[in-house]
Amino acid sequence: NERRRSVSMEWVMGIVPVVLLLLGFPIFVILLATAAIVLLIFAPVPPMAVHINMFGSVDKFALMAVPFFIFAGEIMGHGGISKRIVAWVLSIIGGLRGSLALTTVGTCTVFGAISGSSPATVAAVGRLLYSPLRNAGYNEKFSSGLLASSGAIAIVIPPSISMILYGASAEQSVALLFIAGVIPGLIMSLLMAMYIYAFALRSGIREAVGFSFAKFLTASKEGVWALGTPFIILGGIYAGIFSPTESAGVACVYAIIVTRFIYGDISWKGVWEVSVNSMYLTAQVLIIVAAAGVFSQLLTISAIPQDAVAVIQELKMEPWMVLMVINVFLLFVGCLLDPGSAILVLTPLLAPIALAIGVDLIHFGIIMTVNLAIGMFTPPFGLNIFVTQALFKAPLSSIYPGLIPFIIVNLVALMIITYIPELSMFLTRFV
């Protein structure tokens, strides 16, 4: 009877989420409904346990940073911050072949250190650079593929909401995750820049305007307050002045001061509208956190993580092979779910496997984040693809082929980051 009960529970856990997903239900409903059905029917737990687990999942100090970073990123995005960052990056690399495309990658990297949101980065940077890219001679495929893929760097470069969620789920230090993401994020940017430079040479694109120290000084003067955001956030954390959660609160205050009083890009009415929008975004994230907490309890009761570890140990797979399988799995999941949902659902399942093969959980958090970042622009359902399509009216028949070289480049970056853990762990030694 016990065996039959266990098999029935596993069937329900496998079928219910698929059916609800095909019916178009939101991810939090899928998680909560599946967990509630299994826990109340198959597990000897009272109904109150569902509510307790939901509230317990969001009752974590680290998660307080989520609404703050969302608000700071939103208000910076609605101001003229992105325009000033574009001007600053272009003033540095304007003398290189492919300077506009290189500026796109550089701006997404810097803006990602402010917003932490991939779709927001695509929207903010794309509105400024898509038309100039087309006018400079880049075709629709390249331009749309570049913007959709460059925006994904935002969730790897700290501060990253995905890393905060992973830290809360895996009970790891958010500060260590932030610093561990710096070099991997720069590797992604560097490899994309190398491909762009080669593409510009091969295509004969000559939009370079030459470096001007005067323009650099002017752009730096205009953008210094915008560029100060990541230094205040990360500098404050690693100088021991405040925690990652407290730094998020500081970022909010700084964002208001810069956009409202220094640049004057936003009114008090605009601040209120951003606050309301941030509230909705925060609710969307935290309801998934609460539902994922119940689902995590379900995984614990069903002993699925332990069974997965036992299977891998029986197969006697080498650690590099296990990581390869995990990477392929995460890439598939990443083009179906947003990074936050995927991290909350899969961390309780995959973290024990990583520990069993000797992978540091900080390094594993970076592996998960990079995988899911690539998934955001992987066909057919990567979120950045549809943001790009909606903003620039580019057909999917152009976007999909344009993404292929950038997917290949980022897969190379993923392999480097996965199998050279020192790249993720090096800076953590100094914290």
Side-chain angles (χ1 to χ4, degrees), residues 183-253:
I183 293 178
L186 294 177
I187 289 173
M188 294 172 69
S189 302
L190 178 61
L191 290 182
M192 289 181 69
M194 292 169 63
Y195 167 73
I196 289 167
Y197 188 76
F199 178 86
L201 284 176
R202 188 175 67 250
S203 304
I205 295 174
R206 296 177 176 274
E207 86 279 31
V209 295
F211 176 78
S212 169
F213 190 69
K215 288 183 179 179
F216 169 71
L217 287 179
T218 301
S220 298
K221 182 180 178 181
E222 282 289 313
V224 65
W225 292 103
L227 297 168
T229 309
F231 291 102
I232 288 175
I233 295 172
L234 300 178
I237 292 173
Y238 300 115
I241 300 173
F242 35 69
S243 69
T245 301
E246 292 165 343
S247 76
V250 173
C252 290
V253 176

Side-chain angles (χ1 to χ4, degrees), residues 381-393:
F381 304 120
L383 180 59
N384 284 6
I385 296 173
F386 299 108
V387 173
T388 302
Q389 182 189 35
L391 286 173
F392 314 122
K393 311 304 178 187

Side-chain angles (χ1 to χ4, degrees), residues 41-394:
I41 295 177
F42 297 100
V45 296
M48 186 64 69
V50 175
H51 303 86
I52 292 173
N53 274 299
M54 286 186 69
F55 284 100
S57 300
V58 296
D59 186 21
K60 296 178 181 178
F61 183 70
L63 291 177
M64 289 180 63
V66 172
F68 289 130
F69 277 129
I70 288 176
F71 175 79
E74 285 288 303
I75 201 166
M76 286 285 194
H78 281 74
I81 300 299
S82 54
K83 178 178 66 177
R84 293 177 174 88
I85 294 174
V86 167
W88 181 74
V89 175
L90 190 58
S91 72
I92 296 173
I93 61 177
L96 298 175
R97 281 284 192 96
S99 58
L100 271 177
L102 291 171
T103 297
T104 303
V105 174
T107 303
C108 286
T109 303
V110 176
F111 194 80
I114 294 173
S115 74
S117 167
S118 185
T121 301
V122 173
V125 178
R127 288 192 182 102
L128 294 172
L129 287 174
Y130 182 75
S131 293
L133 283 167
R134 300 286 285 113
N135 294 335
Y138 296 98
N139 59 38
E140 188 176 57
K141 292 179 181 179
F142 180 89
S143 301
S144 58
L146 171 65
L147 283 164
S149 56
S150 297
I153 300 171
I155 69 170
V156 181
I157 290 288
S160 165
I161 293 173
S162 295
M163 290 182 187
I164 295 172
L165 297 177
Y166 174 85
S169 184
E171 298 182 350
Q172 297 297 305
S173 166
V174 174
L176 289 179
L177 287 165
F178 278 2
I179 198 67
V182 172
I183 293 178
L186 294 177
I187 289 173
M188 294 172 69
S189 302
L190 178 61
L191 290 182
M192 289 181 69
M194 292 169 63
Y195 167 73
I196 289 167
Y197 188 76
F199 178 86
L201 284 176
R202 188 175 67 250
S203 304
I205 295 174
R206 296 177 176 274
E207 86 279 31
V209 295
F211 176 78
S212 169
F213 190 69
K215 288 183 179 179
F216 169 71
L217 287 179
T218 301
S220 298
K221 182 180 178 181
E222 282 289 313
V224 65
W225 292 103
L227 297 168
T229 309
F231 291 102
I232 288 175
I233 295 172
L234 300 178
I237 292 173
Y238 300 115
I241 300 173
F242 35 69
S243 69
T245 301
E246 292 165 343
S247 76
V250 173
C252 290
V253 176
Y254 182 79
I256 293 174
I257 292 173
V258 170
T259 54
R260 178 70 185 90
F261 297 107
I262 296 178
Y263 291 145
D265 291 327
I266 193 168
S267 63
W268 285 119
K269 181 182 178 181
V271 172
W272 171 253
E273 290 172 351
V274 169
S275 301
V276 172
N277 188 48
S278 300
M279 176 188 68
Y280 286 125
L281 291 174
T282 300
Q284 291 173 16
V285 172
L286 293 185
I287 189 65
I288 295 173
V289 174
V294 182
F295 196 80
S296 176
Q297 173 71 6
L298 172 61
L299 290 176
T300 301
I301 291 175
S302 61
I304 289 177
Q306 294 86 339
D307 291 343
V309 171
V311 169
I312 289 172
Q313 289 175 339
E314 288 176 7
L315 293 174
K316 293 182 169 43
M317 294 174 66
E318 293 292 328
W320 71 268
M321 295 176 64
V322 177
L323 285 174
M324 182 65 73
V325 171
I326 290 174
N327 278 338
V328 172
F329 174 65
L330 288 173
L331 288 169
F332 173 75
V333 170
C335 67
L336 298 175
L337 296 178
D338 66 278
S341 301
I343 284 171
L344 290 167
V345 173
L346 296 176
T347 299
L349 175 64
L350 298 179
I353 297 175
L355 278 176
I357 60 174
V359 177
D360 188 284
L361 287 186
I362 295 294
H363 178 219
F364 188 69
I366 304 303
I367 293 173
M368 283 193 73
T369 304
V370 173
N371 267 292
L372 297 171
I374 297 172
M376 294 201 74
F377 58 90
T378 299
F381 304 120
L383 180 59
N384 284 6
I385 296 173
F386 299 108
V387 173
T388 302
Q389 182 189 35
L391 286 173
F392 314 122
K393 311 304 178 187

